[in-house]
mmCIF file of all heavy atoms in Angstrom:
data_model
loop_
_atom_site.group_PDB
_atom_site.id
_atom_site.type_symbol
_atom_site.label_atom_id
_atom_site.label_comp_id
_atom_site.label_asym_id
_atom_site.label_seq_id
_atom_site.Cartn_x
_atom_site.Cartn_y
_atom_site.Cartn_z
ATOM 1 N N GLY A 1 -5.832 118.650 102.935
ATOM 2 C CA GLY A 1 -6.625 119.311 101.875
ATOM 3 C C GLY A 1 -7.955 118.596 101.573
ATOM 4 O O GLY A 1 -8.726 119.095 100.734
ATOM 5 N N THR A 2 -8.235 117.475 102.240
ATOM 6 C CA THR A 2 -9.510 116.752 102.030
ATOM 7 C C THR A 2 -9.815 116.040 103.312
ATOM 8 O O THR A 2 -8.914 115.448 103.899
ATOM 9 C CB THR A 2 -9.401 115.772 100.828
ATOM 10 O OG1 THR A 2 -10.569 114.960 100.864
ATOM 11 C CG2 THR A 2 -8.150 114.907 100.912
ATOM 12 N N PRO A 3 -11.091 115.990 103.676
ATOM 13 C CA PRO A 3 -11.480 115.290 104.906
ATOM 14 C C PRO A 3 -11.314 113.766 104.825
ATOM 15 O O PRO A 3 -11.394 113.098 105.823
ATOM 16 C CB PRO A 3 -12.912 115.640 105.138
ATOM 17 C CG PRO A 3 -13.442 116.059 103.794
ATOM 18 C CD PRO A 3 -12.266 116.661 103.051
ATOM 19 N N PHE A 4 -11.120 113.251 103.606
ATOM 20 C CA PHE A 4 -11.079 111.808 103.436
ATOM 21 C C PHE A 4 -9.629 111.284 103.186
ATOM 22 O O PHE A 4 -9.448 110.083 102.942
ATOM 23 C CB PHE A 4 -11.992 111.362 102.357
ATOM 24 C CG PHE A 4 -13.366 111.825 102.550
ATOM 25 C CD1 PHE A 4 -13.941 112.848 101.811
ATOM 26 C CD2 PHE A 4 -14.227 111.286 103.556
ATOM 27 C CE1 PHE A 4 -15.245 113.290 101.980
ATOM 28 C CE2 PHE A 4 -15.484 111.726 103.779
ATOM 29 C CZ PHE A 4 -16.008 112.750 102.992
ATOM 30 N N GLU A 5 -8.680 112.158 103.250
ATOM 31 C CA GLU A 5 -7.270 111.720 103.125
ATOM 32 C C GLU A 5 -6.811 111.322 104.502
ATOM 33 O O GLU A 5 -6.819 112.116 105.427
ATOM 34 C CB GLU A 5 -6.433 112.856 102.527
ATOM 35 C CG GLU A 5 -4.902 112.701 102.803
ATOM 36 C CD GLU A 5 -4.283 111.571 102.061
ATOM 37 O OE1 GLU A 5 -4.873 111.163 101.003
ATOM 38 O OE2 GLU A 5 -3.228 111.067 102.463
ATOM 39 N N GLN A 6 -6.275 110.088 104.672
ATOM 40 C CA GLN A 6 -5.741 109.661 105.895
ATOM 41 C C GLN A 6 -4.214 109.714 105.849
ATOM 42 O O GLN A 6 -3.629 109.550 104.770
ATOM 43 C CB GLN A 6 -6.177 108.230 106.225
ATOM 44 C CG GLN A 6 -7.704 108.096 106.296
ATOM 45 C CD GLN A 6 -8.288 108.973 107.369
ATOM 46 O OE1 GLN A 6 -8.025 108.853 108.526
ATOM 47 N NE2 GLN A 6 -9.198 109.900 106.932
ATOM 48 N N GLY A 7 -3.562 109.962 106.923
ATOM 49 C CA GLY A 7 -2.171 110.180 106.932
ATOM 50 C C GLY A 7 -1.318 108.983 106.618
ATOM 51 O O GLY A 7 -0.115 109.108 106.303
ATOM 52 N N TYR A 8 -1.884 107.791 106.645
ATOM 53 C CA TYR A 8 -1.060 106.541 106.432
ATOM 54 C C TYR A 8 -0.556 106.392 105.017
ATOM 55 O O TYR A 8 0.426 105.621 104.824
ATOM 56 C CB TYR A 8 -1.853 105.317 106.813
ATOM 57 C CG TYR A 8 -2.183 105.171 108.296
ATOM 58 C CD1 TYR A 8 -3.440 105.401 108.757
ATOM 59 C CD2 TYR A 8 -1.196 104.803 109.198
ATOM 60 C CE1 TYR A 8 -3.715 105.261 110.114
ATOM 61 C CE2 TYR A 8 -1.446 104.673 110.551
ATOM 62 C CZ TYR A 8 -2.725 104.885 110.973
ATOM 63 O OH TYR A 8 -3.041 104.768 112.331
ATOM 64 N N GLY A 9 -1.191 107.055 104.061
ATOM 65 C CA GLY A 9 -0.811 106.800 102.685
ATOM 66 C C GLY A 9 -1.547 105.583 102.130
ATOM 67 O O GLY A 9 -2.523 105.128 102.665
ATOM 68 N N SER A 10 -1.044 105.035 101.010
ATOM 69 C CA SER A 10 -1.677 103.923 100.286
ATOM 70 C C SER A 10 -1.152 102.654 100.837
ATOM 71 O O SER A 10 -0.296 101.987 100.229
ATOM 72 C CB SER A 10 -1.461 104.016 98.777
ATOM 73 O OG SER A 10 -1.976 105.252 98.308
ATOM 74 N N LYS A 11 -1.620 102.250 102.037
ATOM 75 C CA LYS A 11 -1.089 101.030 102.639
ATOM 76 C C LYS A 11 -1.536 99.842 101.839
ATOM 77 O O LYS A 11 -2.650 99.755 101.329
ATOM 78 C CB LYS A 11 -1.654 100.926 104.083
ATOM 79 C CG LYS A 11 -0.990 101.851 105.076
ATOM 80 C CD LYS A 11 0.451 101.490 105.286
ATOM 81 C CE LYS A 11 1.047 102.321 106.388
ATOM 82 N NZ LYS A 11 2.456 101.946 106.651
ATOM 83 N N PRO A 12 -0.640 98.801 101.683
ATOM 84 C CA PRO A 12 -0.964 97.660 100.840
ATOM 85 C C PRO A 12 -1.795 96.617 101.606
ATOM 86 O O PRO A 12 -1.460 96.151 102.691
ATOM 87 C CB PRO A 12 0.435 97.062 100.547
ATOM 88 C CG PRO A 12 1.298 97.564 101.709
ATOM 89 C CD PRO A 12 0.760 98.821 102.161
ATOM 90 N N PHE A 13 -2.945 96.259 100.984
ATOM 91 C CA PHE A 13 -3.828 95.237 101.501
ATOM 92 C C PHE A 13 -4.042 94.191 100.382
ATOM 93 O O PHE A 13 -4.111 94.548 99.210
ATOM 94 C CB PHE A 13 -5.189 95.778 101.905
ATOM 95 C CG PHE A 13 -5.117 96.633 103.164
ATOM 96 C CD1 PHE A 13 -4.874 97.987 103.068
ATOM 97 C CD2 PHE A 13 -5.384 96.051 104.403
ATOM 98 C CE1 PHE A 13 -4.775 98.765 104.226
ATOM 99 C CE2 PHE A 13 -5.353 96.792 105.560
ATOM 100 C CZ PHE A 13 -5.026 98.167 105.464
ATOM 101 N N ASP A 14 -4.081 92.928 100.768
ATOM 102 C CA ASP A 14 -4.150 91.859 99.787
ATOM 103 C C ASP A 14 -5.038 90.707 100.311
ATOM 104 O O ASP A 14 -4.672 90.078 101.299
ATOM 105 C CB ASP A 14 -2.737 91.325 99.430
ATOM 106 C CG ASP A 14 -2.749 90.253 98.339
ATOM 107 O OD1 ASP A 14 -3.823 90.040 97.779
ATOM 108 O OD2 ASP A 14 -1.724 89.609 98.174
ATOM 109 N N ILE A 15 -6.192 90.563 99.683
ATOM 110 C CA ILE A 15 -7.089 89.496 100.147
ATOM 111 C C ILE A 15 -6.476 88.127 100.040
ATOM 112 O O ILE A 15 -6.721 87.217 100.846
ATOM 113 C CB ILE A 15 -8.416 89.567 99.312
ATOM 114 C CG1 ILE A 15 -9.163 90.904 99.617
ATOM 115 C CG2 ILE A 15 -9.320 88.394 99.683
ATOM 116 C CD1 ILE A 15 -10.435 91.116 98.868
ATOM 117 N N ALA A 16 -5.636 87.936 99.018
ATOM 118 C CA ALA A 16 -5.031 86.612 98.814
ATOM 119 C C ALA A 16 -4.112 86.200 99.987
ATOM 120 O O ALA A 16 -3.836 85.029 100.167
ATOM 121 C CB ALA A 16 -4.232 86.576 97.510
ATOM 122 N N SER A 17 -3.616 87.179 100.696
ATOM 123 C CA SER A 17 -2.716 86.844 101.776
ATOM 124 C C SER A 17 -3.396 86.526 103.105
ATOM 125 O O SER A 17 -2.745 86.199 104.091
ATOM 126 C CB SER A 17 -1.776 88.058 102.049
ATOM 127 O OG SER A 17 -2.491 89.134 102.590
ATOM 128 N N ILE A 18 -4.751 86.602 103.139
ATOM 129 C CA ILE A 18 -5.471 86.426 104.380
ATOM 130 C C ILE A 18 -5.197 85.065 105.089
ATOM 131 O O ILE A 18 -4.981 85.049 106.276
ATOM 132 C CB ILE A 18 -6.995 86.664 104.157
ATOM 133 C CG1 ILE A 18 -7.224 88.158 103.951
ATOM 134 C CG2 ILE A 18 -7.796 86.147 105.326
ATOM 135 C CD1 ILE A 18 -8.695 88.505 103.679
ATOM 136 N N PRO A 19 -5.286 83.933 104.421
ATOM 137 C CA PRO A 19 -5.079 82.631 105.126
ATOM 138 C C PRO A 19 -3.740 82.583 105.846
ATOM 139 O O PRO A 19 -3.684 82.220 107.026
ATOM 140 C CB PRO A 19 -5.191 81.633 104.032
ATOM 141 C CG PRO A 19 -6.021 82.247 102.962
ATOM 142 C CD PRO A 19 -5.639 83.713 103.001
ATOM 143 N N ALA A 20 -2.663 82.951 105.213
ATOM 144 C CA ALA A 20 -1.378 82.838 105.874
ATOM 145 C C ALA A 20 -1.226 83.846 106.981
ATOM 146 O O ALA A 20 -0.726 83.553 108.057
ATOM 147 C CB ALA A 20 -0.241 83.110 104.819
ATOM 148 N N ALA A 21 -1.762 85.085 106.754
ATOM 149 C CA ALA A 21 -1.672 86.093 107.783
ATOM 150 C C ALA A 21 -2.536 85.754 108.965
ATOM 151 O O ALA A 21 -2.217 86.075 110.131
ATOM 152 C CB ALA A 21 -2.036 87.477 107.221
ATOM 153 N N LEU A 22 -3.720 85.132 108.744
ATOM 154 C CA LEU A 22 -4.578 84.703 109.791
ATOM 155 C C LEU A 22 -3.830 83.723 110.736
ATOM 156 O O LEU A 22 -3.892 83.855 111.955
ATOM 157 C CB LEU A 22 -5.875 84.046 109.259
ATOM 158 C CG LEU A 22 -7.054 84.921 109.048
ATOM 159 C CD1 LEU A 22 -8.191 84.060 108.448
ATOM 160 C CD2 LEU A 22 -7.493 85.575 110.327
ATOM 161 N N ALA A 23 -3.161 82.823 110.107
ATOM 162 C CA ALA A 23 -2.362 81.881 110.901
ATOM 163 C C ALA A 23 -1.321 82.559 111.686
ATOM 164 O O ALA A 23 -1.081 82.253 112.878
ATOM 165 C CB ALA A 23 -1.749 80.804 109.981
ATOM 166 N N GLY A 24 -0.673 83.589 111.052
ATOM 167 C CA GLY A 24 0.366 84.368 111.751
ATOM 168 C C GLY A 24 -0.211 85.099 112.928
ATOM 169 O O GLY A 24 0.395 85.140 114.014
ATOM 170 N N LEU A 25 -1.354 85.760 112.769
ATOM 171 C CA LEU A 25 -1.956 86.526 113.807
ATOM 172 C C LEU A 25 -2.411 85.659 114.975
ATOM 173 O O LEU A 25 -2.420 86.137 116.148
ATOM 174 C CB LEU A 25 -3.197 87.327 113.268
ATOM 175 C CG LEU A 25 -2.840 88.506 112.387
ATOM 176 C CD1 LEU A 25 -4.064 89.007 111.694
ATOM 177 C CD2 LEU A 25 -2.305 89.677 113.233
ATOM 178 N N LEU A 26 -2.802 84.417 114.671
ATOM 179 C CA LEU A 26 -3.406 83.586 115.760
ATOM 180 C C LEU A 26 -2.374 82.607 116.375
ATOM 181 O O LEU A 26 -2.466 82.387 117.618
ATOM 182 C CB LEU A 26 -4.622 82.823 115.216
ATOM 183 C CG LEU A 26 -5.760 83.757 114.727
ATOM 184 C CD1 LEU A 26 -6.905 82.922 114.124
ATOM 185 C CD2 LEU A 26 -6.296 84.627 115.888
ATOM 186 N N VAL A 27 -1.550 81.972 115.559
ATOM 187 C CA VAL A 27 -0.768 80.882 116.091
ATOM 188 C C VAL A 27 0.723 80.922 115.766
ATOM 189 O O VAL A 27 1.499 79.989 116.074
ATOM 190 C CB VAL A 27 -1.306 79.485 115.638
ATOM 191 C CG1 VAL A 27 -2.694 79.269 116.196
ATOM 192 C CG2 VAL A 27 -1.340 79.393 114.123
ATOM 193 N N SER A 28 1.237 81.971 115.113
ATOM 194 C CA SER A 28 2.659 82.041 114.840
ATOM 195 C C SER A 28 3.413 82.138 116.154
ATOM 196 O O SER A 28 2.929 82.798 117.127
ATOM 197 C CB SER A 28 3.046 83.224 113.935
ATOM 198 O OG SER A 28 2.734 84.444 114.587
ATOM 199 N N PRO A 29 4.607 81.556 116.249
ATOM 200 C CA PRO A 29 5.307 81.518 117.602
ATOM 201 C C PRO A 29 5.683 82.873 118.115
ATOM 202 O O PRO A 29 5.900 83.000 119.358
ATOM 203 C CB PRO A 29 6.545 80.689 117.292
ATOM 204 C CG PRO A 29 6.739 80.738 115.836
ATOM 205 C CD PRO A 29 5.341 80.846 115.211
#
């Protein structure tokens, strides 16, 4: 019903989690 609605829904993003997630994306086992 709108060109700007994406199918994923309201996915959770959190700037505070960036340092831990960066480590996970780059060097987690």
Side-chain angles (χ1 to χ4, degrees):
T2 169
F4 304 108
E5 160 69 23
Q6 302 299 300
Y8 290 108
S10 301
K11 286 293 188 178
F13 290 86
D14 182 9
I15 295 178
S17 68
I18 287 179
L22 268 178
L25 285 166
L26 297 177
V27 296
S28 65

